[in-house]
Amino acid sequence: MTIVKMPQLGESVTEGTVIQWFKQPGDPVKLDEPLCEIETEKVTAELPSEFEGTMGRILVPQGETVDIGTPLCEVIAAGGSGVAGAVGAASSGSWSGGPMAIPPEETPAATAPIHATAPDAPPSAATARRFAAPCPLQPG
């Protein structure tokens, strides 16, 4: 059995509301089939299933607002193995929210600052003439 959690659908989003459940316990679930509709302060989106199998328990009722990462429902993966063969399954057996979600534990890699350095040699005479020449588009 796999737990589907509230995804983070925006960088500063901290909670979401389950607007509507499209699947009920016992319903068959196909890969990428919408499980429910979620609304945040920034977006309303359908939450696709990352698993094929059967809908398990609904843990958050329709209309309830919960924090990012809160378990929403259970999906019993085809074959009963829980996460075996599941796309996007975390090692803990939970789902991070699919392709639209921003995993809360991931942070962008730090990049080294870019420093401009002066060239070792002065500009050539041709470069100096080019910048000193009048602009052909300006009268004068």
Side-chain angles (χ1 to χ4, degrees), residues 2-43:
T2 304
I3 303 295
V4 177
K5 295 181 179 182
M6 175 66 78
Q8 184 170 7
L9 296 174
E11 198 168 311
S12 63
V13 175
T14 60
E15 62 184 17
T17 303
V18 176
I19 300 299
Q20 176 183 5
W21 282 102
F22 299 124
K23 295 292 181 180
Q24 298 301 317
D27 288 351
V29 176
K30 294 182 181 176
L31 184 66
D32 291 331
E33 190 172 24
L35 298 174
C36 65
E37 185 175 28
I38 297 171
E39 181 178 70
T40 69
E41 60 192 31
K42 295 186 177 189
V43 68

PDB file of all heavy atoms in Angstrom, residues 2-43:
ATOM      1  N   THR A   2       0.508   2.228  -0.760  1.00  0.00           N
ATOM      2  CA  THR A   2       1.294   3.445  -0.895  1.00  0.00           C
ATOM      3  C   THR A   2       0.486   4.636  -0.423  1.00  0.00           C
ATOM      4  O   THR A   2      -0.696   4.750  -0.722  1.00  0.00           O
ATOM      5  CB  THR A   2       1.685   3.630  -2.367  1.00  0.00           C
ATOM      6  OG1 THR A   2       2.376   2.464  -2.793  1.00  0.00           O
ATOM      7  CG2 THR A   2       2.573   4.823  -2.548  1.00  0.00           C
ATOM      8  N   ILE A   3       1.142   5.512   0.309  1.00  0.00           N
ATOM      9  CA  ILE A   3       0.504   6.723   0.812  1.00  0.00           C
ATOM     10  C   ILE A   3       0.736   7.847  -0.190  1.00  0.00           C
ATOM     11  O   ILE A   3       1.869   8.112  -0.577  1.00  0.00           O
ATOM     12  CB  ILE A   3       1.086   7.135   2.185  1.00  0.00           C
ATOM     13  CG1 ILE A   3       0.952   6.003   3.198  1.00  0.00           C
ATOM     14  CG2 ILE A   3       0.442   8.412   2.692  1.00  0.00           C
ATOM     15  CD1 ILE A   3      -0.452   5.644   3.567  1.00  0.00           C
ATOM     16  N   VAL A   4      -0.331   8.521  -0.605  1.00  0.00           N
ATOM     17  CA  VAL A   4      -0.237   9.686  -1.481  1.00  0.00           C
ATOM     18  C   VAL A   4      -0.333  10.910  -0.577  1.00  0.00           C
ATOM     19  O   VAL A   4      -1.264  11.043   0.207  1.00  0.00           O
ATOM     20  CB  VAL A   4      -1.379   9.689  -2.521  1.00  0.00           C
ATOM     21  CG1 VAL A   4      -1.313  10.941  -3.381  1.00  0.00           C
ATOM     22  CG2 VAL A   4      -1.309   8.437  -3.388  1.00  0.00           C
ATOM     23  N   LYS A   5       0.663  11.794  -0.694  1.00  0.00           N
ATOM     24  CA  LYS A   5       0.729  12.972   0.183  1.00  0.00           C
ATOM     25  C   LYS A   5       0.359  14.248  -0.562  1.00  0.00           C
ATOM     26  O   LYS A   5       0.441  14.301  -1.787  1.00  0.00           O
ATOM     27  CB  LYS A   5       2.142  13.118   0.760  1.00  0.00           C
ATOM     28  CG  LYS A   5       2.523  11.975   1.672  1.00  0.00           C
ATOM     29  CD  LYS A   5       3.903  12.181   2.239  1.00  0.00           C
ATOM     30  CE  LYS A   5       4.287  11.051   3.171  1.00  0.00           C
ATOM     31  NZ  LYS A   5       5.603  11.278   3.767  1.00  0.00           N
ATOM     32  N   MET A   6       0.003  15.276   0.211  1.00  0.00           N
ATOM     33  CA  MET A   6      -0.293  16.592  -0.369  1.00  0.00           C
ATOM     34  C   MET A   6       0.988  17.132  -0.995  1.00  0.00           C
ATOM     35  O   MET A   6       1.985  17.324  -0.304  1.00  0.00           O
ATOM     36  CB  MET A   6      -0.790  17.547   0.714  1.00  0.00           C
ATOM     37  CG  MET A   6      -1.015  18.973   0.224  1.00  0.00           C
ATOM     38  SD  MET A   6      -2.335  19.162  -0.984  1.00  0.00           S
ATOM     39  CE  MET A   6      -3.771  19.097   0.073  1.00  0.00           C
ATOM     40  N   PRO A   7       0.974  17.367  -2.317  1.00  0.00           N
ATOM     41  CA  PRO A   7       2.179  17.868  -2.983  1.00  0.00           C
ATOM     42  C   PRO A   7       2.351  19.366  -2.759  1.00  0.00           C
ATOM     43  O   PRO A   7       1.407  20.074  -2.414  1.00  0.00           O
ATOM     44  CB  PRO A   7       1.901  17.576  -4.456  1.00  0.00           C
ATOM     45  CG  PRO A   7       0.407  17.651  -4.566  1.00  0.00           C
ATOM     46  CD  PRO A   7      -0.110  17.119  -3.256  1.00  0.00           C
ATOM     47  N   GLN A   8       3.560  19.828  -2.973  1.00  0.00           N
ATOM     48  CA  GLN A   8       3.834  21.259  -2.921  1.00  0.00           C
ATOM     49  C   GLN A   8       3.723  21.767  -4.355  1.00  0.00           C
ATOM     50  O   GLN A   8       4.562  21.484  -5.190  1.00  0.00           O
ATOM     51  CB  GLN A   8       5.218  21.543  -2.354  1.00  0.00           C
ATOM     52  CG  GLN A   8       5.472  23.013  -2.199  1.00  0.00           C
ATOM     53  CD  GLN A   8       6.736  23.307  -1.410  1.00  0.00           C
ATOM     54  OE1 GLN A   8       7.492  22.403  -1.094  1.00  0.00           O
ATOM     55  NE2 GLN A   8       6.947  24.559  -1.103  1.00  0.00           N
ATOM     56  N   LEU A   9       2.670  22.529  -4.643  1.00  0.00           N
ATOM     57  CA  LEU A   9       2.391  22.966  -6.002  1.00  0.00           C
ATOM     58  C   LEU A   9       2.906  24.370  -6.299  1.00  0.00           C
ATOM     59  O   LEU A   9       2.513  24.975  -7.272  1.00  0.00           O
ATOM     60  CB  LEU A   9       0.886  22.891  -6.270  1.00  0.00           C
ATOM     61  CG  LEU A   9       0.305  21.481  -6.208  1.00  0.00           C
ATOM     62  CD1 LEU A   9      -1.203  21.503  -6.342  1.00  0.00           C
ATOM     63  CD2 LEU A   9       0.911  20.592  -7.268  1.00  0.00           C
ATOM     64  N   GLY A  10       3.762  24.871  -5.463  1.00  0.00           N
ATOM     65  CA  GLY A  10       4.376  26.167  -5.669  1.00  0.00           C
ATOM     66  C   GLY A  10       5.446  26.364  -4.624  1.00  0.00           C
ATOM     67  O   GLY A  10       5.382  25.773  -3.538  1.00  0.00           O
ATOM     68  N   GLU A  11       6.422  27.198  -4.927  1.00  0.00           N
ATOM     69  CA  GLU A  11       7.565  27.350  -4.037  1.00  0.00           C
ATOM     70  C   GLU A  11       7.185  27.856  -2.651  1.00  0.00           C
ATOM     71  O   GLU A  11       7.706  27.414  -1.650  1.00  0.00           O
ATOM     72  CB  GLU A  11       8.587  28.284  -4.679  1.00  0.00           C
ATOM     73  CG  GLU A  11       9.945  28.163  -4.054  1.00  0.00           C
ATOM     74  CD  GLU A  11      10.994  28.867  -4.881  1.00  0.00           C
ATOM     75  OE1 GLU A  11      11.040  28.647  -6.106  1.00  0.00           O
ATOM     76  OE2 GLU A  11      11.774  29.622  -4.282  1.00  0.00           O
ATOM     77  N   SER A  12       6.246  28.786  -2.563  1.00  0.00           N
ATOM     78  CA  SER A  12       5.892  29.359  -1.260  1.00  0.00           C
ATOM     79  C   SER A  12       4.584  28.806  -0.707  1.00  0.00           C
ATOM     80  O   SER A  12       4.097  29.273   0.316  1.00  0.00           O
ATOM     81  CB  SER A  12       5.805  30.883  -1.372  1.00  0.00           C
ATOM     82  OG  SER A  12       4.774  31.233  -2.275  1.00  0.00           O
ATOM     83  N   VAL A  13       4.011  27.811  -1.365  1.00  0.00           N
ATOM     84  CA  VAL A  13       2.745  27.231  -0.927  1.00  0.00           C
ATOM     85  C   VAL A  13       2.993  26.314   0.267  1.00  0.00           C
ATOM     86  O   VAL A  13       3.895  25.488   0.249  1.00  0.00           O
ATOM     87  CB  VAL A  13       2.075  26.447  -2.074  1.00  0.00           C
ATOM     88  CG1 VAL A  13       0.832  25.737  -1.611  1.00  0.00           C
ATOM     89  CG2 VAL A  13       1.752  27.384  -3.229  1.00  0.00           C
ATOM     90  N   THR A  14       2.191  26.482   1.327  1.00  0.00           N
ATOM     91  CA  THR A  14       2.382  25.682   2.538  1.00  0.00           C
ATOM     92  C   THR A  14       1.218  24.753   2.845  1.00  0.00           C
ATOM     93  O   THR A  14       1.339  23.883   3.705  1.00  0.00           O
ATOM     94  CB  THR A  14       2.599  26.593   3.756  1.00  0.00           C
ATOM     95  OG1 THR A  14       1.451  27.428   3.917  1.00  0.00           O
ATOM     96  CG2 THR A  14       3.849  27.444   3.587  1.00  0.00           C
ATOM     97  N   GLU A  15       0.080  24.936   2.160  1.00  0.00           N
ATOM     98  CA  GLU A  15      -1.086  24.095   2.423  1.00  0.00           C
ATOM     99  C   GLU A  15      -1.967  24.021   1.184  1.00  0.00           C
ATOM    100  O   GLU A  15      -1.810  24.801   0.247  1.00  0.00           O
ATOM    101  CB  GLU A  15      -1.885  24.640   3.609  1.00  0.00           C
ATOM    102  CG  GLU A  15      -2.453  26.025   3.388  1.00  0.00           C
ATOM    103  CD  GLU A  15      -3.165  26.589   4.604  1.00  0.00           C
ATOM    104  OE1 GLU A  15      -2.965  26.075   5.715  1.00  0.00           O
ATOM    105  OE2 GLU A  15      -3.930  27.547   4.433  1.00  0.00           O
ATOM    106  N   GLY A  16      -2.875  23.060   1.197  1.00  0.00           N
ATOM    107  CA  GLY A  16      -3.806  22.901   0.089  1.00  0.00           C
ATOM    108  C   GLY A  16      -5.120  22.330   0.593  1.00  0.00           C
ATOM    109  O   GLY A  16      -5.186  21.716   1.657  1.00  0.00           O
ATOM    110  N   THR A  17      -6.178  22.536  -0.193  1.00  0.00           N
ATOM    111  CA  THR A  17      -7.515  22.059   0.154  1.00  0.00           C
ATOM    112  C   THR A  17      -7.950  21.014  -0.866  1.00  0.00           C
ATOM    113  O   THR A  17      -7.840  21.241  -2.072  1.00  0.00           O
ATOM    114  CB  THR A  17      -8.530  23.225   0.142  1.00  0.00           C
ATOM    115  OG1 THR A  17      -8.078  24.226   1.041  1.00  0.00           O
ATOM    116  CG2 THR A  17      -9.907  22.761   0.554  1.00  0.00           C
ATOM    117  N   VAL A  18      -8.451  19.881  -0.375  1.00  0.00           N
ATOM    118  CA  VAL A  18      -9.004  18.859  -1.258  1.00  0.00           C
ATOM    119  C   VAL A  18     -10.400  19.343  -1.647  1.00  0.00           C
ATOM    120  O   VAL A  18     -11.297  19.422  -0.804  1.00  0.00           O
ATOM    121  CB  VAL A  18      -9.068  17.484  -0.573  1.00  0.00           C
ATOM    122  CG1 VAL A  18      -9.739  16.477  -1.489  1.00  0.00           C
ATOM    123  CG2 VAL A  18      -7.683  17.013  -0.176  1.00  0.00           C
ATOM    124  N   ILE A  19     -10.572  19.695  -2.909  1.00  0.00           N
ATOM    125  CA  ILE A  19     -11.853  20.222  -3.393  1.00  0.00           C
ATOM    126  C   ILE A  19     -12.817  19.088  -3.717  1.00  0.00           C
ATOM    127  O   ILE A  19     -13.992  19.154  -3.382  1.00  0.00           O
ATOM    128  CB  ILE A  19     -11.639  21.100  -4.656  1.00  0.00           C
ATOM    129  CG1 ILE A  19     -10.720  22.274  -4.333  1.00  0.00           C
ATOM    130  CG2 ILE A  19     -12.959  21.584  -5.227  1.00  0.00           C
ATOM    131  CD1 ILE A  19     -11.256  23.204  -3.281  1.00  0.00           C
ATOM    132  N   GLN A  20     -12.301  18.049  -4.382  1.00  0.00           N
ATOM    133  CA  GLN A  20     -13.174  16.958  -4.819  1.00  0.00           C
ATOM    134  C   GLN A  20     -12.365  15.677  -4.979  1.00  0.00           C
ATOM    135  O   GLN A  20     -11.241  15.707  -5.489  1.00  0.00           O
ATOM    136  CB  GLN A  20     -13.807  17.338  -6.161  1.00  0.00           C
ATOM    137  CG  GLN A  20     -14.649  16.260  -6.775  1.00  0.00           C
ATOM    138  CD  GLN A  20     -15.195  16.667  -8.146  1.00  0.00           C
ATOM    139  OE1 GLN A  20     -14.873  17.728  -8.668  1.00  0.00           O
ATOM    140  NE2 GLN A  20     -16.006  15.819  -8.730  1.00  0.00           N
ATOM    141  N   TRP A  21     -12.912  14.556  -4.547  1.00  0.00           N
ATOM    142  CA  TRP A  21     -12.306  13.245  -4.787  1.00  0.00           C
ATOM    143  C   TRP A  21     -12.932  12.651  -6.036  1.00  0.00           C
ATOM    144  O   TRP A  21     -14.147  12.587  -6.158  1.00  0.00           O
ATOM    145  CB  TRP A  21     -12.527  12.307  -3.594  1.00  0.00           C
ATOM    146  CG  TRP A  21     -11.602  12.599  -2.462  1.00  0.00           C
ATOM    147  CD1 TRP A  21     -11.903  13.263  -1.326  1.00  0.00           C
ATOM    148  CD2 TRP A  21     -10.218  12.264  -2.383  1.00  0.00           C
ATOM    149  NE1 TRP A  21     -10.787  13.370  -0.527  1.00  0.00           N
ATOM    150  CE2 TRP A  21      -9.733  12.760  -1.158  1.00  0.00           C
ATOM    151  CE3 TRP A  21      -9.330  11.600  -3.218  1.00  0.00           C
ATOM    152  CZ2 TRP A  21      -8.412  12.606  -0.754  1.00  0.00           C
ATOM    153  CZ3 TRP A  21      -8.021  11.447  -2.815  1.00  0.00           C
ATOM    154  CH2 TRP A  21      -7.573  11.948  -1.594  1.00  0.00           C
ATOM    155  N   PHE A  22     -12.100  12.236  -7.001  1.00  0.00           N
ATOM    156  CA  PHE A  22     -12.590  11.592  -8.213  1.00  0.00           C
ATOM    157  C   PHE A  22     -12.668  10.079  -8.040  1.00  0.00           C
ATOM    158  O   PHE A  22     -13.389   9.420  -8.789  1.00  0.00           O
ATOM    159  CB  PHE A  22     -11.675  11.911  -9.399  1.00  0.00           C
ATOM    160  CG  PHE A  22     -11.582  13.377  -9.716  1.00  0.00           C
ATOM    161  CD1 PHE A  22     -10.360  14.017  -9.762  1.00  0.00           C
ATOM    162  CD2 PHE A  22     -12.720  14.126  -9.971  1.00  0.00           C
ATOM    163  CE1 PHE A  22     -10.264  15.358 -10.064  1.00  0.00           C
ATOM    164  CE2 PHE A  22     -12.637  15.478 -10.272  1.00  0.00           C
ATOM    165  CZ  PHE A  22     -11.415  16.093 -10.315  1.00  0.00           C
ATOM    166  N   LYS A  23     -11.913   9.543  -7.112  1.00  0.00           N
ATOM    167  CA  LYS A  23     -11.889   8.098  -6.852  1.00  0.00           C
ATOM    168  C   LYS A  23     -12.382   7.836  -5.436  1.00  0.00           C
ATOM    169  O   LYS A  23     -12.141   8.624  -4.522  1.00  0.00           O
ATOM    170  CB  LYS A  23     -10.466   7.542  -6.997  1.00  0.00           C
ATOM    171  CG  LYS A  23      -9.929   7.628  -8.401  1.00  0.00           C
ATOM    172  CD  LYS A  23     -10.691   6.686  -9.304  1.00  0.00           C
ATOM    173  CE  LYS A  23     -10.181   6.711 -10.714  1.00  0.00           C
ATOM    174  NZ  LYS A  23     -10.921   5.793 -11.567  1.00  0.00           N
ATOM    175  N   GLN A  24     -13.056   6.717  -5.265  1.00  0.00           N
ATOM    176  CA  GLN A  24     -13.540   6.280  -3.962  1.00  0.00           C
ATOM    177  C   GLN A  24     -12.863   4.957  -3.611  1.00  0.00           C
ATOM    178  O   GLN A  24     -12.371   4.253  -4.501  1.00  0.00           O
ATOM    179  CB  GLN A  24     -15.071   6.109  -3.982  1.00  0.00           C
ATOM    180  CG  GLN A  24     -15.828   7.409  -4.267  1.00  0.00           C
ATOM    181  CD  GLN A  24     -15.529   8.496  -3.250  1.00  0.00           C
ATOM    182  OE1 GLN A  24     -15.479   8.246  -2.050  1.00  0.00           O
ATOM    183  NE2 GLN A  24     -15.309   9.713  -3.742  1.00  0.00           N
ATOM    184  N   PRO A  25     -12.806   4.603  -2.319  1.00  0.00           N
ATOM    185  CA  PRO A  25     -12.184   3.333  -1.942  1.00  0.00           C
ATOM    186  C   PRO A  25     -12.759   2.162  -2.737  1.00  0.00           C
ATOM    187  O   PRO A  25     -13.971   2.049  -2.913  1.00  0.00           O
ATOM    188  CB  PRO A  25     -12.512   3.213  -0.452  1.00  0.00           C
ATOM    189  CG  PRO A  25     -12.637   4.641   0.005  1.00  0.00           C
ATOM    190  CD  PRO A  25     -13.276   5.358  -1.156  1.00  0.00           C
ATOM    191  N   GLY A  26     -11.841   1.342  -3.265  1.00  0.00           N
ATOM    192  CA  GLY A  26     -12.233   0.183  -4.056  1.00  0.00           C
ATOM    193  C   GLY A  26     -12.241   0.431  -5.552  1.00  0.00           C
ATOM    194  O   GLY A  26     -12.270  -0.510  -6.341  1.00  0.00           O
ATOM    195  N   ASP A  27     -12.217   1.695  -5.972  1.00  0.00           N
ATOM    196  CA  ASP A  27     -12.205   2.016  -7.403  1.00  0.00           C
ATOM    197  C   ASP A  27     -10.854   1.653  -8.017  1.00  0.00           C
ATOM    198  O   ASP A  27      -9.816   1.851  -7.396  1.00  0.00           O
ATOM    199  CB  ASP A  27     -12.432   3.512  -7.642  1.00  0.00           C
ATOM    200  CG  ASP A  27     -13.857   3.962  -7.369  1.00  0.00           C
ATOM    201  OD1 ASP A  27     -14.727   3.097  -7.152  1.00  0.00           O
ATOM    202  OD2 ASP A  27     -14.086   5.192  -7.373  1.00  0.00           O
ATOM    203  N   PRO A  28     -10.864   1.159  -9.270  1.00  0.00           N
ATOM    204  CA  PRO A  28      -9.591   0.912  -9.952  1.00  0.00           C
ATOM    205  C   PRO A  28      -8.920   2.250 -10.287  1.00  0.00           C
ATOM    206  O   PRO A  28      -9.595   3.235 -10.590  1.00  0.00           O
ATOM    207  CB  PRO A  28      -9.994   0.161 -11.223  1.00  0.00           C
ATOM    208  CG  PRO A  28     -11.442   0.455 -11.420  1.00  0.00           C
ATOM    209  CD  PRO A  28     -12.018   0.766 -10.079  1.00  0.00           C
ATOM    210  N   VAL A  29      -7.595   2.278 -10.207  1.00  0.00           N
ATOM    211  CA  VAL A  29      -6.816   3.484 -10.486  1.00  0.00           C
ATOM    212  C   VAL A  29      -5.790   3.156 -11.565  1.00  0.00           C
ATOM    213  O   VAL A  29      -5.053   2.177 -11.445  1.00  0.00           O
ATOM    214  CB  VAL A  29      -6.096   3.982  -9.207  1.00  0.00           C
ATOM    215  CG1 VAL A  29      -5.215   5.184  -9.520  1.00  0.00           C
ATOM    216  CG2 VAL A  29      -7.092   4.316  -8.120  1.00  0.00           C
ATOM    217  N   LYS A  30      -5.768   3.974 -12.606  1.00  0.00           N
ATOM    218  CA  LYS A  30      -4.779   3.817 -13.675  1.00  0.00           C
ATOM    219  C   LYS A  30      -3.672   4.840 -13.478  1.00  0.00           C
ATOM    220  O   LYS A  30      -3.875   5.875 -12.843  1.00  0.00           O
ATOM    221  CB  LYS A  30      -5.429   4.013 -15.039  1.00  0.00           C
ATOM    222  CG  LYS A  30      -6.432   2.937 -15.379  1.00  0.00           C
ATOM    223  CD  LYS A  30      -7.007   3.159 -16.751  1.00  0.00           C
ATOM    224  CE  LYS A  30      -8.037   2.070 -17.043  1.00  0.00           C
ATOM    225  NZ  LYS A  30      -8.686   2.285 -18.327  1.00  0.00           N
ATOM    226  N   LEU A  31      -2.517   4.568 -14.048  1.00  0.00           N
ATOM    227  CA  LEU A  31      -1.383   5.481 -13.995  1.00  0.00           C
ATOM    228  C   LEU A  31      -1.778   6.822 -14.595  1.00  0.00           C
ATOM    229  O   LEU A  31      -2.388   6.870 -15.658  1.00  0.00           O
ATOM    230  CB  LEU A  31      -0.202   4.882 -14.763  1.00  0.00           C
ATOM    231  CG  LEU A  31       1.096   5.661 -14.728  1.00  0.00           C
ATOM    232  CD1 LEU A  31       1.655   5.687 -13.310  1.00  0.00           C
ATOM    233  CD2 LEU A  31       2.108   5.037 -15.673  1.00  0.00           C
ATOM    234  N   ASP A  32      -1.471   7.917 -13.900  1.00  0.00           N
ATOM    235  CA  ASP A  32      -1.750   9.297 -14.311  1.00  0.00           C
ATOM    236  C   ASP A  32      -3.234   9.662 -14.274  1.00  0.00           C
ATOM    237  O   ASP A  32      -3.603  10.746 -14.717  1.00  0.00           O
ATOM    238  CB  ASP A  32      -1.184   9.609 -15.700  1.00  0.00           C
ATOM    239  CG  ASP A  32       0.328   9.643 -15.712  1.00  0.00           C
ATOM    240  OD1 ASP A  32       0.910   9.965 -14.665  1.00  0.00           O
ATOM    241  OD2 ASP A  32       0.923   9.341 -16.760  1.00  0.00           O
ATOM    242  N   GLU A  33      -4.084   8.802 -13.772  1.00  0.00           N
ATOM    243  CA  GLU A  33      -5.506   9.122 -13.644  1.00  0.00           C
ATOM    244  C   GLU A  33      -5.698  10.032 -12.427  1.00  0.00           C
ATOM    245  O   GLU A  33      -5.102   9.798 -11.382  1.00  0.00           O
ATOM    246  CB  GLU A  33      -6.297   7.824 -13.474  1.00  0.00           C
ATOM    247  CG  GLU A  33      -7.782   8.003 -13.561  1.00  0.00           C
ATOM    248  CD  GLU A  33      -8.512   6.664 -13.572  1.00  0.00           C
ATOM    249  OE1 GLU A  33      -7.963   5.658 -13.081  1.00  0.00           O
ATOM    250  OE2 GLU A  33      -9.630   6.649 -14.072  1.00  0.00           O
ATOM    251  N   PRO A  34      -6.499  11.093 -12.548  1.00  0.00           N
ATOM    252  CA  PRO A  34      -6.679  12.012 -11.416  1.00  0.00           C
ATOM    253  C   PRO A  34      -7.352  11.329 -10.223  1.00  0.00           C
ATOM    254  O   PRO A  34      -8.348  10.631 -10.382  1.00  0.00           O
ATOM    255  CB  PRO A  34      -7.581  13.108 -11.971  1.00  0.00           C
ATOM    256  CG  PRO A  34      -7.635  12.927 -13.438  1.00  0.00           C
ATOM    257  CD  PRO A  34      -7.233  11.516 -13.732  1.00  0.00           C
ATOM    258  N   LEU A  35      -6.770  11.546  -9.049  1.00  0.00           N
ATOM    259  CA  LEU A  35      -7.356  11.025  -7.808  1.00  0.00           C
ATOM    260  C   LEU A  35      -8.290  12.047  -7.175  1.00  0.00           C
ATOM    261  O   LEU A  35      -9.353  11.706  -6.685  1.00  0.00           O
ATOM    262  CB  LEU A  35      -6.248  10.662  -6.813  1.00  0.00           C
ATOM    263  CG  LEU A  35      -5.280   9.570  -7.237  1.00  0.00           C
ATOM    264  CD1 LEU A  35      -4.159   9.422  -6.221  1.00  0.00           C
ATOM    265  CD2 LEU A  35      -6.021   8.259  -7.434  1.00  0.00           C
ATOM    266  N   CYS A  36      -7.813  13.320  -7.161  1.00  0.00           N
ATOM    267  CA  CYS A  36      -8.605  14.374  -6.555  1.00  0.00           C
ATOM    268  C   CYS A  36      -8.206  15.717  -7.150  1.00  0.00           C
ATOM    269  O   CYS A  36      -7.254  15.809  -7.913  1.00  0.00           O
ATOM    270  CB  CYS A  36      -8.420  14.399  -5.032  1.00  0.00           C
ATOM    271  SG  CYS A  36      -6.756  14.825  -4.486  1.00  0.00           S
ATOM    272  N   GLU A  37      -8.967  16.730  -6.777  1.00  0.00           N
ATOM    273  CA  GLU A  37      -8.658  18.098  -7.189  1.00  0.00           C
ATOM    274  C   GLU A  37      -8.217  18.859  -5.952  1.00  0.00           C
ATOM    275  O   GLU A  37      -8.868  18.793  -4.912  1.00  0.00           O
ATOM    276  CB  GLU A  37      -9.885  18.752  -7.812  1.00  0.00           C
ATOM    277  CG  GLU A  37      -9.631  20.120  -8.386  1.00  0.00           C
ATOM    278  CD  GLU A  37     -10.854  20.672  -9.106  1.00  0.00           C
ATOM    279  OE1 GLU A  37     -11.985  20.310  -8.750  1.00  0.00           O
ATOM    280  OE2 GLU A  37     -10.664  21.469 -10.023  1.00  0.00           O
ATOM    281  N   ILE A  38      -7.104  19.585  -6.085  1.00  0.00           N
ATOM    282  CA  ILE A  38      -6.520  20.318  -4.958  1.00  0.00           C
ATOM    283  C   ILE A  38      -6.495  21.802  -5.303  1.00  0.00           C
ATOM    284  O   ILE A  38      -6.182  22.173  -6.439  1.00  0.00           O
ATOM    285  CB  ILE A  38      -5.081  19.834  -4.688  1.00  0.00           C
ATOM    286  CG1 ILE A  38      -5.089  18.378  -4.276  1.00  0.00           C
ATOM    287  CG2 ILE A  38      -4.404  20.690  -3.634  1.00  0.00           C
ATOM    288  CD1 ILE A  38      -3.720  17.766  -4.209  1.00  0.00           C
ATOM    289  N   GLU A  39      -6.795  22.627  -4.317  1.00  0.00           N
ATOM    290  CA  GLU A  39      -6.733  24.072  -4.500  1.00  0.00           C
ATOM    291  C   GLU A  39      -5.760  24.648  -3.485  1.00  0.00           C
ATOM    292  O   GLU A  39      -5.811  24.315  -2.304  1.00  0.00           O
ATOM    293  CB  GLU A  39      -8.114  24.689  -4.313  1.00  0.00           C
ATOM    294  CG  GLU A  39      -8.143  26.196  -4.522  1.00  0.00           C
ATOM    295  CD  GLU A  39      -9.541  26.745  -4.366  1.00  0.00           C
ATOM    296  OE1 GLU A  39     -10.044  26.761  -3.234  1.00  0.00           O
ATOM    297  OE2 GLU A  39     -10.121  27.151  -5.392  1.00  0.00           O
ATOM    298  N   THR A  40      -4.865  25.520  -3.970  1.00  0.00           N
ATOM    299  CA  THR A  40      -3.962  26.259  -3.094  1.00  0.00           C
ATOM    300  C   THR A  40      -4.220  27.742  -3.336  1.00  0.00           C
ATOM    301  O   THR A  40      -5.059  28.100  -4.172  1.00  0.00           O
ATOM    302  CB  THR A  40      -2.479  25.947  -3.391  1.00  0.00           C
ATOM    303  OG1 THR A  40      -2.134  26.508  -4.665  1.00  0.00           O
ATOM    304  CG2 THR A  40      -2.201  24.456  -3.380  1.00  0.00           C
ATOM    305  N   GLU A  41      -3.480  28.585  -2.641  1.00  0.00           N
ATOM    306  CA  GLU A  41      -3.655  30.025  -2.844  1.00  0.00           C
ATOM    307  C   GLU A  41      -3.216  30.465  -4.232  1.00  0.00           C
ATOM    308  O   GLU A  41      -3.573  31.547  -4.682  1.00  0.00           O
ATOM    309  CB  GLU A  41      -2.898  30.806  -1.778  1.00  0.00           C
ATOM    310  CG  GLU A  41      -1.408  30.534  -1.793  1.00  0.00           C
ATOM    311  CD  GLU A  41      -0.687  31.058  -0.585  1.00  0.00           C
ATOM    312  OE1 GLU A  41      -1.280  31.105   0.497  1.00  0.00           O
ATOM    313  OE2 GLU A  41       0.491  31.413  -0.736  1.00  0.00           O
ATOM    314  N   LYS A  42      -2.457  29.619  -4.938  1.00  0.00           N
ATOM    315  CA  LYS A  42      -1.929  30.000  -6.243  1.00  0.00           C
ATOM    316  C   LYS A  42      -2.505  29.213  -7.411  1.00  0.00           C
ATOM    317  O   LYS A  42      -2.483  29.693  -8.539  1.00  0.00           O
ATOM    318  CB  LYS A  42      -0.403  29.843  -6.253  1.00  0.00           C
ATOM    319  CG  LYS A  42       0.289  30.786  -5.309  1.00  0.00           C
ATOM    320  CD  LYS A  42       1.775  30.699  -5.450  1.00  0.00           C
ATOM    321  CE  LYS A  42       2.420  31.715  -4.533  1.00  0.00           C
ATOM    322  NZ  LYS A  42       3.830  31.827  -4.758  1.00  0.00           N
ATOM    323  N   VAL A  43      -2.975  27.998  -7.175  1.00  0.00           N
ATOM    324  CA  VAL A  43      -3.366  27.144  -8.302  1.00  0.00           C
ATOM    325  C   VAL A  43      -4.424  26.129  -7.857  1.00  0.00           C
ATOM    326  O   VAL A  43      -4.504  25.761  -6.688  1.00  0.00           O
ATOM    327  CB  VAL A  43      -2.123  26.399  -8.862  1.00  0.00           C
ATOM    328  CG1 VAL A  43      -1.577  25.384  -7.886  1.00  0.00           C
ATOM    329  CG2 VAL A  43      -2.414  25.733 -10.185  1.00  0.00           C
TER     330      VAL A  43
END
